Amino acid sequence: MRLELSAEDAAFREEMRTFFTTQVPQSIRDTVAAREELSKEQIVESQRILNAAGLAVPGWPVEWGGQDWTPLQRHIWHEEMQSACVPLPLAFNASMVGPVIAAYGTQEQKETFLPQTANLDIWWSQGFSEPDAGSDLAGLRCAAVRDGDEYVVNGQKTWTTLGQYGDWIFNLVRTNPEAEKKQAGISFLLIDMTTPGVEVRPIELIDGGHEVNEVWFTDVRVPAANLVGAENQGWDIAKFLLGNERVGVAPVGAVKRVLAHAKEWVGEETLRDPLVAARFAAIENELLALELTALRVVAHSADGKPHPASSVLKLKGSELQQEVSDLVVELAGPGSLASGAGDDSGVPGWARVATPAYLNLRKASIYGGSNEIQRQIIARTILGL
Ligand SMILES: Cc1cc2nc3c(=O)[nH]c(=O)nc-3n(C[C@H](O)[C@H](O)[C@H](O)COP(=O)(O)OP(=O)(O)OC[C@H]3O[C@@H](n4cnc5c(N)ncnc54)[C@H](O)[C@@H]3O)c2cc1C
């Protein structure tokens, strides 16, 4: 395996680095660097800047704004964005519903939705999970019953990330409760969240933030034209989407960045402590292994299809994110208890956000398919157990 970038790829990396560090406003990048919550406006502004330069949805088909890049170029784009503290394009739009509409949508759906999705004119939410239908997603119950040219939707979704900002939601719904296999009775429906009967209710998280929601549907009437693919084809589409979701999941750039910042935050003297140095070295070694694995996966992804090893990236990537957040809490020491203190306190900002960031990152091993499920995929498809 070659560990050095070719001259062209190195030039490409330089181009990305220059764009990200000069074109995306410093205030947005500072928010990411400080590990603080981004506002909706910041996320939208950043994505629109990327989209105007053709850098928001490079994985899409070229006719809809994608780039004919190699998998390695996409990897470099992704890494450099994270290193430069640029918010990644909204995953619901860029890596979930966009590719689905491009692959399964009608021409009209593509024309209506894809440009607005790339530019974040529409903010999408993901309506997959339900109480009792998370890992066992095929057990979902939210029902859509055909009535003339419309579906009538009733049910509940949960854990809907940033649903409070959502304009539209892509929902898995049960269209055939009689199907022999429960996977066979599911459809993929696009729902305007301003339709009467849609209600978003906040869920408060352990870090005090409002990041996830419940979404309730009561007699919500949805045009049948908003069905993506055929009726009852939703499970195939969901598998396609979830496969894409696991591409680019190894947050190597983000972990590197937090590690580098952590060194600046604590200073030379602390870094000379042998226990601290050993901890940094252990994480850096794991990070290097993850980076090499990510590059191997990139090199072996054919036709844009996710390699099964992407489950390894999800597993190790989330563990490393959590480990670094744990290290930062330890480095902050008693300061990590001061998350409620204001800017006028003597505790530096990085120490004040250490505990909320640590708590928030517990989610990384659950969403996008829990790590236990990833281990099963690895056992079955990679190790052949
Ligand atoms: C912060 C956050 C944001 C999310 N955002 C969204 C979103 O925007 N849209 C959306 O649709 N969903 C979202 N989710 C839902 C997420 O996809 C599910 O939480 C996840 O799939 C796990 O499902 P569950 O919560 O029902 O847990 P369960 O499936 O009930 O699992 C509970 C525990 O049992 C383990 N387990 C379950 N089955 C097995 C098994 N077969 N073998 C071994 N262990 C098992 C799990 O790994 C877990 O530890 C989000 C979740 C979180 C935490």
Side-chain angles (χ1 to χ4, degrees):
M1 173 173 182
R2 238 184 44 216
L3 293 179
E4 293 219 335
L5 293 180
S6 67
E8 296 90 73
D9 288 329
F12 177 80
R13 183 177 62 187
E14 221 29 63
E15 189 193 323
M16 291 296 119
R17 198 169 280 182
T18 306
F19 184 90
F20 294 140
T21 52
T22 58
Q23 302 303 307
V24 178
Q26 188 68 41
S27 57
I28 295 180
R29 299 196 300 117
D30 285 346
T31 308
V32 175
R35 303 167 94 204
E36 286 167 5
E37 216 171 288
L38 290 156
S39 67
K40 176 183 182 179
E41 290 68 31
Q42 287 178 311
I43 296 172
V44 171
E45 183 182 353
S46 172
Q47 181 152 336
R48 289 193 181 152
I49 292 169
L50 298 184
N51 194 42
L55 299 180
V57 292
W60 290 15
V62 173
E63 67 168 312
W64 297 110
Q67 298 280 354
D68 207 4
W69 285 346
T70 62
L72 182 59
Q73 285 176 314
R74 271 178 69 187
H75 175 82
I76 293 171
W77 161 82
H78 196 253
E79 288 301 299
E80 289 303 321
M81 225 171 354
Q82 292 180 69
S83 306
C85 299
V86 170
L88 299 179
L90 189 68
F92 308 113
N93 288 40
S95 45
M96 297 189 194
V97 78
V100 161
I101 294 175
Y104 294 90
T106 60
Q107 186 62 21
E108 195 183 339
Q109 286 170 340
K110 291 178 192 176
E111 285 168 14
T112 308
F113 292 113
L114 289 179
Q116 299 190 69
T117 298
N119 205 42
L120 205 37
D121 298 333
I122 295 177
W123 183 298
W124 286 94
S125 293
Q126 181 187 23
F128 278 22
S129 304
E130 297 179 12
D132 299 325
S135 303
D136 183 20
L137 186 57
L140 63 91
R141 285 173 301 182
C142 182
V145 176
R146 184 83 186 234
D147 180 22
D149 286 344
E150 293 177 323
Y151 285 100
V152 182
V153 179
N154 279 287
Q156 181 198 350
K157 294 289 169 182
T158 193
W159 304 123
T160 315
T161 300
L162 302 179
Q164 68 268 36
Y165 303 149
D167 300 307
W168 282 71
I169 184 164
F170 51 93
N171 249 25
L172 289 180
V173 288
R174 186 156 299 284
T175 33
N176 181 6
E178 312 295 330
E180 239 169 67
K181 264 186 83 189
K182 54 188 181 178
Q183 284 83 351
I186 293 171
S187 298
F188 194 99
L189 200 56
L190 310 176
I191 304 179
D192 180 341
M193 291 178 80
T194 60
T195 318
V198 179
E199 192 196 341
V200 180
R201 299 184 193 165
I203 301 173
E204 192 182 329
L205 286 188
I206 194 171
D207 66 350
H210 172 196
E211 196 177 283
V212 287
N213 304 269
E214 296 176 344
V215 184
W216 294 73
F217 301 86
T218 312
D219 292 331
V220 177
R221 302 194 78 88
V222 181
N226 291 356
L227 179 76
V228 180
E231 194 173 274
N232 299 322
Q233 196 197 359
W235 191 250
D236 288 342
I237 301 179
K239 279 194 298 191
F240 170 86
L241 182 148
L242 293 172
N244 288 333
E245 193 184 9
R246 261 165 238 142
V247 175
V249 286
V252 174
V255 175
K256 265 191 195 164
R257 187 185 73 219
V258 178
L259 265 184
H261 284 164
K263 288 181 177 171
E264 288 170 21
W265 293 330
V266 296
E268 281 300 319
E269 199 182 328
T270 306
L271 292 176
R272 274 197 294 273
D273 178 313
L275 289 178
V276 173
R279 191 85 194 276
F280 269 98
I283 298 179
E284 278 167 351
N285 279 337
E286 294 243 25
L287 192 57
L288 185 60
L290 179 67
E291 188 168 16
L292 294 180
T293 310
L295 285 168
R296 255 176 36 214
V297 171
V298 164
H300 291 109
S301 297
D303 307 329
K305 287 210 183 75
H307 189 275
S310 55
S311 287
V312 176
L313 301 181
K314 161 76 191 6
L315 179 64
K316 282 309 292 181
S318 55
E319 284 179 354
L320 273 180
Q321 267 182 307
Q322 293 179 338
E323 212 172 316
V324 172
S325 71
D326 184 35
L327 171 64
V328 174
V329 168
E330 284 187 37
L331 293 171
S336 66
L337 296 174
S339 61
D343 287 341
D344 53 351
S345 86
V347 183
W350 71 268
R352 280 184 276 134
V353 298
T355 299
Y358 166 86
L359 292 172
N360 185 283
L361 277 169
R362 299 305 93 193
K363 70 187 179 189
S365 45
I366 301 172
Y367 67 60
S370 74
N371 282 6
E372 287 82 0
I373 299 295
Q374 302 312 317
R375 286 191 183 90
Q376 285 180 356
I377 296 174
I378 293 165
R380 225 181 22 247
T381 62
I382 301 177
L383 303 176
L385 298 175

